[in-house]
Amino acid sequence: MVVASRLPVDRVDDPDDPDRAPEWRRSPGGLVTALEPVMRAANGVWVGWPGSAGPALGPFEADGMPLVGVGLSEADVADFYEGFCNATLWPLYHDVIVPPMFHREWWESYVTVNRRFAEAAAEQAAADATVWVNDYQLQLVPGMLRAMRGDVRIGFFNHIPFPGYEIFAQLPWRRQIIDGLLGADLLGFQRHSDTTNFLRACRRAAGRTTRGSLIRVPDPAGVREVRAAAFPVSIDAAAFGELARRGDVLARAREIREAIGKPDVVLLGVDRLDYTKGIRHRLEAYSELLDEGRLQSPGAVLIQVASPSRERVEQYRLLRDEVEVTVGRINGDHGELGSTPVHYLHQSYPREEMAALYLAADVMLVTSLRDGMNLVAKEFVACRNDETGTLVLSEFTGAADELVGAYLVNPHDIEGLKDTIMRAVTASPAEARRRMRSMRRRVYENDVAHWAASFLDALKGSPHHQRQGVSS
Ligand code: F6P
C-alpha cells in the first residue's frame, strides 16, 4: 500500500453539470511520476487525496488502479494543504527561500488530517501489509499507524530535502515531527546529506541515540532500531525512451521547432511554477545574455513551461506575477514582429507533449535553488536516444549527485549561470555526446524500478520489526 497526500489522479468535476461522472486527470509533481509505475507493477492500493475539497471517496478504481480517496474539507485544504504543508514545511525544508509561516491552527489541522490518513491506511491494509508512506505532508502517519496496526511494516520516503538542523530547529513542533517519523521501520531520503541532517535532528530535537544509520527508539516491546538511508528516486527511463522513439512524438518535436521559427538554439525549462525552481534566476541570466548579444533573438529561443501549482498560496501568486512581468519585459525588449525570445506556457501537458518538448530542445535548463531530486532532468536525459543535447543542472538538486555529465551550476551566481549556459550552448557535438552518454547510462541503470526495489528490500530486511498482532 502507498499512502501519499495526493492520489495519482485529480478529480475534475464539471461545474455546469454536477450530475456528470467526474473526470480523472494525472496529478502534478515528481512523487506521482516516481510511484505510479511502481504501483501499477505491484497492483498495490494507493491511499490519497483527490486534489479538491470534498468528502472521503473510500475504495474505488480509476485509470486501472485501486485507489482509496481521503476527504479534505475547504478548511482542511486551507489549513493543512495550503497552510502547514505548503506555507510552513515546504519553505522550511527548502532552506527558507521564502519565510515559513508558523500558525498553531495549521499545526492542529496537520495532526487531524494525518490521523485521517493513518485511519484510512489502518482500515484498508491487509494483515502484515507493507505500507509505504510518502513525503512531508504525512510525517505523523508512521507513528499513528504503528499505534493502530502493530502488524504492518512501515516505510517512509521523503521526496523533498531534509534541512540542516539550524533550520529545522525553527519548527515549534520539531519533536512531534521526529517522533511521528520514527514510527516507521525504514526512513528513506534523496541524498546522503538529507539523511545526516535527519539523524542530527533525531539526536538534537528528540534526544535519540544514533549509531551509524540506526536510531534507537523506545517501544512497548523494548527498543526498536529504525534505519535512515538515501535512496535517490528516479523515473521509468525505458518508458520515456520508448515514447521518444514514437513517430508521432518525433514529428511533434519537429513541428514545435517550426512553430517557434526554426531557431538555431532552443533552450527549455520545465517546472511547476514554484519559487524553489529558480525560474527568475534563469530568466535573468537569459535576459542578460540577450542584452549582451551573447545570445541573439530570433536565433535563440527559450521555451518555459511553468505548470500551475498551489495557486491560492500567496508566495505562489507573487511568483507568478514576477515571472510573467519578467517574460513580458524580455519579449518587449528583444522580440520583433513574428519572433518571440521567450515562449511562456502556464499549462500542464500530457507525457507525449513533454517528450516532444524534450526532443525539440538543444539545452535543458534546471536551475532550482533547492530540489529534492528533480525528475525533469532525468526525463530529458531518458528521452535523448540519439545522445544529443546538453543539460545545465543546479548543484542544489538531488540529481546533481548522479548526473555528473551535466553542466553543474550555482544558480545564485548569475555570471556563472550565464557562462555555463553558453558552455552548454556551444559544446562540440563530441563533448555533448560524451556527457549525455554517461548521464543516460546512470538514468537507465538506476531507474524507478531499481529505486523501489532497493527501498522495499531494505524495508523487508529492516531491523527489529516487532510483530504485535492485528488490532483492527
Ligand atoms: O514531489 C514533491 C511534491 O511536493 C509532492 O509531494 C507533491 O505531490 C508534488 O510535489 C506536487 O505538489 P502538490 O501536491 O502540492 O501539487
Side-chain angles (χ1 to χ4, degrees):
M1 170 185 282
V2 153
V3 187
S5 82
R6 277 195 185 248
L7 290 173
V9 282
D10 279 346
R11 181 186 166 119
V12 186
D13 291 300
D14 182 349
D16 299 328
D17 185 359
D19 296 332
R20 201 161 137 199
E23 273 181 38
W24 296 97
R25 194 181 298 150
R26 192 189 161 75
S27 42
L31 180 150
V32 170
T33 306
L35 281 169
E36 199 220 53
V38 174
M39 291 308 278
R40 277 194 194 282
N43 201 30
V45 181
W46 188 312
V47 178
W49 168 55
S52 50
L57 300 175
F60 67 109
E61 210 181 291
D63 201 15
M65 296 181 74
L67 308 175
V68 176
V70 176
L72 294 193
S73 66
E74 287 287 358
D76 296 331
V77 174
D79 294 345
F80 162 76
Y81 173 70
E82 293 166 352
F84 201 77
C85 292
N86 291 323
T88 305
L89 291 175
W90 182 267
L92 187 77
Y93 281 32
H94 287 87
D95 289 356
V96 298
I97 295 168
V98 306
M101 294 163 76
F102 303 113
H103 292 299
R104 282 163 283 184
E105 60 278 18
W106 290 359
W107 163 251
E108 279 155 27
S109 176
Y110 187 76
V111 176
T112 307
V113 173
N114 269 249
R115 184 161 301 114
R116 203 174 301 152
F117 274 83
E119 280 165 359
E123 231 167 70
Q124 301 292 333
D128 295 322
T130 295
V131 181
W132 188 352
V133 185
N134 285 269
D135 231 357
Y136 63 101
Q137 301 95 340
L138 301 179
Q139 295 173 100
L140 303 179
V141 169
M144 290 171 170
L145 181 58
R146 176 169 291 279
M148 294 173 201
R149 287 283 304 268
D151 61 309
V152 297
R153 209 172 262 266
I154 305 170
F156 179 92
F157 186 80
N158 199 48
H159 292 253
I160 68 171
F162 195 90
Y165 187 68
E166 287 67 22
I167 290 179
F168 181 72
Q170 291 179 20
L171 188 66
W173 308 279
R174 60 197 186 193
R175 166 102 204 212
Q176 290 95 315
I177 292 285
I178 297 293
D179 286 344
L181 287 168
L182 290 175
D185 295 289
L186 173 69
L187 291 150
F189 297 90
Q190 299 280 25
R191 302 175 95 161
H192 181 67
S193 52
D194 299 318
T195 313
T196 50
N197 287 344
F198 173 73
L199 289 166
R200 183 145 176 258
C202 289
R203 294 191 293 271
R204 298 285 303 275
R208 299 280 170 244
T209 318
T210 64
R211 186 169 49 89
S213 62
L214 297 176
I215 307 124
R216 287 168 67 81
V217 182
D219 187 88
V223 171
R224 287 189 305 123
E225 283 194 315
V226 176
R227 190 176 156 222
F231 300 87
V233 73
S234 196
I235 56 163
D236 186 347
F240 274 98
E242 274 310 300
L243 202 55
R245 258 183 217 104
R246 261 170 45 181
D248 58 332
V249 173
L250 289 161
R252 176 66 189 144
R254 284 193 293 273
E255 199 178 282
I256 290 170
R257 283 192 84 109
E258 270 164 36
I260 58 174
K262 298 193 201 155
D264 304 326
V265 185
V266 177
L267 302 121
L268 174 68
V270 173
D271 311 87
R272 270 187 316 99
L273 186 46
D274 194 299
Y275 49 80
T276 59
K277 303 292 182 183
I279 300 172
R280 282 175 307 191
H281 297 65
R282 187 182 312 167
L283 289 173
E284 193 175 334
Y286 179 63
S287 164
E288 289 188 17
L289 288 170
L290 291 172
D291 290 343
E292 293 162 12
R294 293 165 79 185
L295 287 177
Q296 272 157 4
S297 175
V301 165
L302 169 63
I303 303 177
Q304 177 62 56
V305 176
S307 50
S309 186
R310 305 172 188 169
E311 291 190 282
R312 297 199 315 189
V313 179
E314 197 197 352
Q315 292 289 354
Y316 289 76
R317 283 207 293 254
L318 294 174
L319 173 71
R320 181 172 178 189
D321 288 348
E322 281 181 56
V323 165
E324 294 183 356
V325 165
T326 309
V327 168
R329 204 193 57 224
I330 299 173
N331 284 340
D333 287 349
H334 295 282
E336 281 171 27
L337 289 175
S339 81
T340 311
V342 186
H343 288 262
Y344 167 76
L345 304 159
H346 182 244
Q347 290 165 56
S348 304
Y349 293 100
R351 212 177 271 220
E352 286 76 7
E353 182 72 0
M354 293 315 306
L357 281 162
Y358 293 139
L359 290 173
D362 299 299
V363 180
M364 181 86 212
L365 302 177
V366 176
T367 55
S368 312
L369 306 179
R370 179 54 82 194
D371 212 330
M373 176 53 62
N374 196 287
L375 293 180
V376 161
K378 293 189 173 180
E379 289 176 4
F380 171 70
V381 167
C383 284
R384 302 303 295 220
N385 294 316
D386 65 0
E387 299 177 341
T388 61
T390 49
L391 171 65
V392 172
L393 180 62
S394 162
E395 60 194 60
F396 303 120
T397 61
D401 281 2
E402 297 182 83
L403 302 183
V404 290
Y407 288 86
L408 293 180
V409 71
N410 168 5
H412 296 283
D413 169 12
I414 300 294
E415 287 304 322
L417 179 53
K418 283 155 59 182
D419 291 344
T420 309
I421 292 174
M422 290 315 296
R423 281 174 63 213
V425 166
T426 57
S428 72
E431 172 71 1
R433 173 159 289 115
R434 187 184 64 74
R435 288 170 172 265
M436 182 56 78
R437 195 173 284 166
S438 96
M439 294 193 286
R440 281 175 63 78
R441 204 175 307 123
R442 186 69 191 224
V443 169
Y444 276 79
E445 274 167 15
N446 290 355
D447 67 356
V448 75
H450 171 86
W451 168 72
S454 30
F455 184 86
L456 292 171
D457 283 351
L459 179 55
K460 235 184 258 164
S462 57
H464 302 278
H465 173 73
Q466 306 287 332
R467 273 196 58 97
Q468 295 167 348
V470 185
S471 61
S472 72

